[in-house]
Every structure is written in C-alpha cells, then in structure tokens.
Amino acid sequence: MSTSNTDSTSASASTRKRKAITLEEKLEVVKRHERGEKTKEIRCATGFSESTLHTIRDNEEKIKESCKSATRLSTACVSLTRSAIMEKMERMLTMWIEHQKQEHMPLSTQVIQAKALSIYEVLKCDDPEAKPFSASAGWFDRFKARHGFHHLKLMVKQHLLIKVLQINFLQSCRLPLRREAMN
C-alpha cells in the first residue's frame, strides 16, 4: 500500500508545472520576511512552496542587488537574479541605444553587440570574478525583449533592405550598358 501512495505522490510532483517568479514577487517576499512575518503566513499569501520561500530568503542579498540595478520594465519580467555587472552593462547599453536613436544614427545587431562587449570589458576590469560574456544572438533577442526594443528589428531589416536595393540598382544600371556595348 505504501508503494501506491509513493507513486501517486511522485506523479503529482512530476506533473506540477514550474512557475517563473518575477523579481517584484521575490522582493515582496523579502520585505515580508524582514517585517517579521512567518513563513507560513507568507506561503498562504503568495502561494509559494516553503522551499521556494527559503530559497528566496537565502538569496536575499542577490535579489536586493538585482533590484538596485534593474530597470522598472525588467523587474516585472525578470525571474533570475543576474550579476550586477550584467545589469549595469545592459542599463548603460540601453542609454547608449537611446542616445543613438536621438541622434538618428543607424543601428544594427552587430553594432549593438559590439558595443555591449566593449561596455562589458570595461566593467569587467572592476570585477575579477565576472563571468565571460559573448553578446550572442540569443542574448541580444532576450535583451530586446527585456528592455522593450522590439522596433530594432525593423531597423536591422531596413538596413538589409537598403543593401539589397543598392545591389539591385547597380545590376539594373549594368544591363543598359551591356546592351549599348553590344550595338
């Protein structure tokens, strides 16, 4: 009988879906804990499991550090606490992109990724324990989603479209020249 009970418990545990907890929610748990609320009270109010609450409490310093360096938009969707150097780099990159937009400078994926790498390298000098960063295409897609830069896709596509139009124009100019050379 105990075997069937164990099977049903493990089956329900394996079917439970994981839920991403935002930085705002984690910060709320930290504040409740600091006010002296008991874990049981916080669990009832938030619906989080006891182990989740303990993990949040154990990572309290990381969560507070992430909140200091996060933007208002990113606190609503960030579920992982990322390094302070990464948050600072993305904040500086966001300001640089905004400045480039105000100056009507064309931006491309490669230019933004190169700028992200250069900012990270400068910041990494202050933190010898910083993890390596490669500014991959996946990171760039997530960066755009975190900071609301959906319109950058259009600029990249527009940049490619201009190149295609230039090539087509040059090819169309060559056709009349070849016809005149044949006559």
Side-chain angles (χ1 to χ4, degrees):
M1 289 205 159
S2 65
T3 310
S4 64
N5 189 15
T6 308
D7 291 341
S8 66
T9 306
S10 64
S12 66
S14 65
T15 58
R16 182 186 298 166
K17 284 187 94 172
R18 289 179 54 115
K19 179 185 175 236
I21 303 170
T22 65
L23 202 51
E24 283 179 337
E25 292 171 320
K26 290 177 184 180
L27 190 60
E28 181 61 30
V29 169
V30 168
K31 286 179 181 177
R32 285 173 173 253
H33 184 264
E34 287 175 345
R35 287 189 297 239
E37 285 188 46
K38 296 186 188 282
T39 305
K40 186 176 181 180
E41 295 169 349
I42 299 171
R43 189 178 68 167
C44 290
T46 60
F48 299 146
S49 70
E50 196 169 334
S51 64
T52 301
L53 294 175
H54 288 297
T55 303
I56 291 171
R57 188 186 65 210
D58 293 344
N59 293 323
E60 182 177 327
E61 292 304 315
K62 284 184 179 179
I63 292 167
K64 286 180 179 179
E65 187 65 32
S66 288
C67 285
K68 286 179 187 174
S69 59
T71 62
R72 199 178 117 242
L73 179 65
S74 67
T75 55
C77 60
V78 171
S79 59
L80 300 173
T81 52
R82 298 174 34 225
S83 69
I85 189 172
M86 192 66 133
E87 292 284 346
K88 189 172 183 179
M89 180 274 297
E90 287 191 0
R91 190 174 61 247
M92 291 173 76
L93 183 63
T94 301
M95 290 188 305
W96 179 81
I97 291 171
E98 291 297 331
H99 178 73
Q100 297 301 309
K101 284 176 25 187
Q102 288 175 356
E103 297 293 320
H104 303 289
M105 299 296 292
L107 292 171
S108 69
T109 304
Q110 294 82 10
V111 170
I112 294 170
Q113 286 172 317
K115 185 65 175 179
L117 280 172
S118 68
I119 293 171
Y120 191 82
E121 289 302 317
V122 169
L123 294 175
K124 194 168 93 170
C125 294
D126 297 337
D127 186 5
E129 295 179 13
K131 294 180 181 177
F133 172 66
S134 63
S136 65
W139 165 82
F140 184 65
D141 289 339
R142 291 185 299 274
F143 168 77
K144 288 191 300 185
R146 276 192 297 273
H147 297 282
F149 286 123
H150 305 290
H151 60 280
L152 286 178
K153 286 183 188 176
L154 298 175
M155 289 182 168
V156 172
K157 288 179 184 175
Q158 184 180 19
H159 178 70
L160 294 174
L161 179 63
I162 290 170
K163 286 201 178 266
V164 169
L165 290 174
Q166 287 172 340
I167 291 169
N168 287 342
F169 177 74
L170 291 174
Q171 288 175 347
S172 67
C173 289
R174 289 183 189 152
L175 286 175
L177 292 176
R178 286 185 187 160
R179 287 184 190 146
E180 287 179 14
M182 289 176 152
N183 290 334

